[in-house]
Amino acid sequence: MSVVLGYVATLGVYFCIYNIFAFGLNIQFGYAGILDFTVITFMAIGGYIAGVAVLPPEQRGTEIFYVLGWNLPWPIALLLGMVAAGLLGFLIGLVALRRLRSDYLAIVTLASGTIVYDVINNYNKLFDGAAGLVGVPQPYTSVFGVNPNTYTWYFLAVSAVIMLVCWYVANRIYSSPLGRTMRAIREDMDVAEAFGKDAFRVRMLAMVIGCMFVGLGGVLTIAYVSALSPAGWTTGETFVIWAALIVGGKANNWGAVVGSFLVAVLFNEATRFLPAIPGSPNLVSDIRNMCIGGMVIVTLWFRPQGVVPERKARFPQLPVRGATTPVSVAVGATGGAGSAG
Amino acid sequence: MNLFFLALGFGVVTASVLALASVGLSLQFGVTNFVNFAYGAYLAFGMFFTYTLDVTAHVPFWLAAVVATLLTGLVSVVVDRLVIEPFVRRRTSPFFLLIVTFGLQLVLLNVIQAVWGVGFESFTTGTGTPLHLGPFSITGDQLGIVVLAVVAMVLVHLLLTRTTLGKSMRAMSDDSSLAKVSGIDTGRVTMWTWFVSGCLAGLGGITLALNTVSFQAYTGNTFLFVIFAAVILGGIGQIYGAMLGALCIGLAVELSGLWIPGAYKLDVAFGVLVLALLLRPQGLIATVGKA
């Protein structure tokens, strides 16, 4: 019984982490219309930096290499991980967010992700190359007790609190003037700039804040799993987060939550229990990835606004001369983010 | 000095592979006006169709390559008709089309993995003994790649300048609605564009596989950003620009191998991409209003 409960708690932790990822991507894509095709890279950077900040200095002669090794406590490592992810987002944004076509932006993010992956995978002095970091001490095991099943519940509680803080921040950003500017830029960058908004600055903010969210999720991941290697963050993983947001409903954090639950937890986890087909051990995971890609395409076709659509902006009804019914002026309406980017 | 010429020779070979792939991407980009992020999977289709015909069905390699090229073109058309074209007809913005093609990438690559497995494969042609041509030293396969690329580029040039189809493609690339009101059957031209683009992707994939000797489903996809770099450096939608971009990137990548470890030489293409975007985002051969 306790095994099942432990598993449920593990799913709960993943649910919280994926929620944070989806909030981060939502700020970038849903709010500001930035096509970030390498979300998982920021998760990895956050995770790695937090990991090496917590780990003791590398031992000579063990053939395990990593940078830093500062023995720091987890809360500081968490901040470091977030800052590192935000910094990488800033650097990528410097190139990607210049006034270019949205396809350029997507290409730059995708290419940067490939490069970061390539360097981390090949250059083993950074985070031990393809082997990745292992044995990162889990946070406060001595305080919570080392029984893995009860520990998971404590971890779930902590990540739920962090997730709720993220939820609060993400929603505050949405309704803040900054969030409104982001959405205006998403709908029409020229109009927003004509009203004196600095599109580059606002989009950069969205990029960096989003990356910090994703990095935070990465820190939680490595804290929970206590290991991270390049095999764990491929393009397919980026797409799980995208699928969660698109299926759930972009620009609505409830959508992000619903999508994370449906795609990242229910679909992605449930299919892990399917028996492997003899002779082709990868077939189940291949089909799972096909389904995730297909889900996005199907959602964009049948319900582009997602399961939980973005709330239409409500404004006081203005009486229009000559019209019999009052017309509401909706700016942040759902739908085409075409001209943004 | 010897090493320099060796790298220069490899540079020309890489540039040839890159030219095939990037001209295909650029052509489709120009006509349809959105990037196809699933393009790396088309390269893989070219590789694996050839692999099946060559290794499993024992068809002569050149015939296998020709058939695989045409099949990849067909895949490209079918995917366009089934998935992309409905979205285009619904006037989905290019912004969402990018997400659709990004999703397609995941679907197609996993179809390839499901059918052909995840392991590394290679063709039956073998590596061959290097030929010494003056200061250069390349294998027969690599020489074949260069010749093939040159022939393909000449054919693309003739297609674009001498045939009605090619002229229609250029017209659509310049202004799609103007082309339509001038009586060009844009649907037909779009379909042929996807076919030619798919064929070039297939050829690019086959030559890439020949050049790297062993390949798997993701080989083409990891090469994708190098193709993007060549396309952007040349100027988006510019066919001749893509050729020029491919040459620059191919040489830059291989010559950099003289100074940096081989594992990172493709990353040089990323450096060129960043520089191009910062200094000349419209590309070497610029078009008005396309950047």
Side-chain angles (χ1 to χ4, degrees):
Chain A
M1 195 56 209
S2 64
V3 176
V4 176
L5 283 177
Y7 177 67
V8 170
T10 303
L11 284 190
V13 173
Y14 284 140
F15 177 56
C16 293
I17 290 173
Y18 269 101
N19 272 339
I20 297 171
F21 290 156
F23 296 156
L25 181 61
N26 203 10
I27 292 172
Q28 295 174 339
F29 171 67
Y31 296 10
I34 300 169
L35 284 173
D36 176 3
F37 279 173
T38 184
V39 188
I40 207 71
T41 307
F42 304 108
M43 164 270 181
I45 291 302
Y48 277 132
I49 293 294
V52 291
V54 165
L55 279 168
E58 61 175 12
Q59 303 289 313
R60 281 181 191 283
T62 52
E63 296 298 313
I64 298 170
F65 304 105
Y66 48 85
V67 288
L68 305 184
W70 282 346
N71 255 329
L72 289 174
W74 269 103
I76 298 174
L78 188 141
L79 289 178
L80 276 179
M82 284 175 72
V83 169
L87 204 62
L88 183 68
F90 176 75
L91 290 176
I92 294 177
L94 277 184
V95 182
L97 295 178
R98 301 173 74 241
R99 254 198 98 85
L100 300 168
R101 295 168 50 126
S102 52
D103 3 41
Y104 279 49
L105 202 167
I107 288 173
V108 172
T109 55
L110 195 69
S112 319
T114 315
I115 296 302
V116 173
Y117 191 89
D118 213 34
V119 169
I120 290 180
N121 197 21
N122 283 316
Y123 188 65
N124 65 353
K125 298 286 189 296
L126 271 178
F127 308 114
D128 208 29
L133 298 179
V134 286
V136 179
Q138 287 191 313
Y140 304 114
T141 34
S142 53
V143 182
F144 291 146
V146 281
N147 182 338
N149 280 323
T150 50
Y151 180 76
T152 307
W153 285 100
Y154 287 115
F155 199 96
L156 174 61
V158 173
S159 42
V161 169
I162 295 178
M163 189 265 281
L164 287 173
V165 172
C166 288
W167 160 266
Y168 178 75
V169 174
N171 275 331
R172 282 304 294 263
I173 292 174
Y174 185 85
S175 48
S176 71
L178 178 67
R180 285 204 297 276
T181 314
M182 284 176 186
R183 279 175 286 149
I185 289 170
R186 176 192 73 188
E187 296 297 329
D188 195 322
M189 207 194 299
D190 294 322
V191 169
E193 285 195 327
F195 278 96
K197 303 295 181 189
D198 184 346
F200 177 79
R201 203 179 130 261
V202 172
R203 293 208 312 162
M204 183 62 100
L205 268 172
M207 181 81 185
V208 171
I209 296 171
C211 288
M212 287 174 79
F213 271 61
V214 177
L216 174 62
V219 177
L220 286 179
T221 309
I222 200 170
Y224 185 67
V225 197
S226 75
L228 186 64
S229 75
W233 49 285
T234 52
T235 319
E237 300 297 319
T238 291
F239 216 79
V240 174
I241 304 169
W242 268 94
L245 191 60
I246 299 271
V247 171
K250 58 188 184 307
N252 185 332
N253 287 320
W254 277 114
V257 172
V258 170
S260 304
F261 182 72
L262 289 178
V263 179
V265 177
L266 209 59
F267 180 76
N268 218 11
E269 287 298 319
T271 47
R272 286 189 205 284
F273 293 98
L274 292 178
I277 292 139
S280 35
N282 276 298
L283 198 56
V284 170
S285 83
D286 289 344
I287 292 175
R288 178 169 55 222
N289 283 334
M290 278 181 228
C291 291
I292 287 178
M295 229 185 303
V296 170
I297 297 174
V298 169
T299 308
L300 283 178
W301 180 253
F302 288 107
R303 202 177 160 81
Q305 68 274 42
V307 175
V308 191
E310 180 177 12
R311 281 175 300 122
K312 275 208 165 150
R314 270 197 295 272
F315 296 93
Q317 306 248 299
L318 304 173
V320 175
R321 199 180 303 162
T324 44
T325 48
V327 181
S328 66
V329 192
V331 183
T334 54
S339 45
Chain B
M1 208 57 205
N2 228 344
L3 223 52
F4 174 78
F5 279 112
L6 201 65
L8 195 65
F10 287 150
V12 173
V13 176
T14 306
S16 305
V17 174
L18 202 49
L20 287 167
S22 47
V23 166
L25 184 75
S26 202
L27 184 68
Q28 173 263 322
F29 198 135
V31 172
T32 60
N33 210 19
F34 61 86
V35 187
N36 178 13
F37 278 93
Y39 197 70
Y42 295 6
L43 267 72
F45 272 116
M47 294 173 193
F48 281 97
F49 284 143
T50 314
Y51 172 78
T52 302
L53 289 167
D54 176 40
V55 177
T56 317
H58 304 293
V59 176
F61 181 77
W62 65 270
L63 186 62
V66 170
V67 175
T69 303
L70 296 175
L71 279 177
T72 312
L74 211 60
V75 167
S76 166
V77 171
V78 169
V79 168
D80 172 53
R81 289 278 121 169
L82 284 183
V83 184
I84 301 174
E85 209 53 39
F87 280 101
V88 174
R89 221 171 292 138
R90 204 193 245 185
R91 298 187 180 281
T92 307
S93 67
F95 189 78
F96 284 100
L97 281 172
L98 297 182
I99 304 172
V100 171
T101 61
F102 191 49
L104 261 178
Q105 170 193 318
L106 195 71
V107 175
L108 292 179
L109 283 173
N110 280 284
V111 166
I112 290 164
Q113 276 199 350
V115 175
W116 283 285
V118 290
F120 278 90
E121 315 286 356
S122 48
F123 297 143
T124 53
T125 52
T127 41
T129 45
L131 307 165
H132 296 280
L133 304 166
F136 302 107
S137 161
I138 58 176
T139 64
D141 282 356
Q142 290 178 320
L143 195 63
I145 293 173
V146 178
V147 173
L148 180 71
V150 171
V151 171
M153 291 308 108
V154 171
L155 284 179
V156 168
H157 170 71
L158 291 179
L159 170 77
L160 288 176
T161 49
R162 299 293 158 84
T163 65
T164 323
L165 177 67
K167 286 175 186 166
S168 312
M169 284 175 181
R170 277 159 56 206
M172 273 189 76
S173 182
D174 278 347
D175 191 327
S176 159
S177 9
L178 201 56
K180 204 166 185 173
V181 296
S182 311
I184 291 174
D185 183 351
T186 48
R188 199 180 125 266
V189 174
T190 307
M191 195 187 79
W192 279 107
T193 304
W194 280 102
F195 182 74
V196 174
S197 158
C199 287
L200 286 166
L203 268 182
I206 298 165
T207 50
L208 177 66
L210 275 176
N211 199 26
T212 57
V213 180
S214 71
F215 57 92
Q216 46 110 263
Y218 277 85
T219 305
N221 210 45
T222 41
F223 201 61
L224 185 63
F225 80 92
V226 188
I227 301 174
F228 280 147
V231 169
I232 289 183
L233 182 63
I236 217 105
Q238 293 286 323
I239 308 301
Y240 303 104
M243 296 180 193
L244 186 63
L247 190 64
C248 295
I249 302 266
L251 290 177
V253 163
E254 293 298 338
L255 288 178
S256 71
L258 294 171
W259 296 283
I260 62 169
Y264 308 111
K265 66 182 182 188
L266 284 185
D267 301 354
V268 172
F270 178 71
V272 178
L273 172 69
V274 170
L275 282 181
L277 283 177
L278 291 177
L279 301 176
R280 201 173 162 79
Q282 69 274 43
L284 292 174
I285 300 180
T287 2
V288 182
K290 278 244 169 187

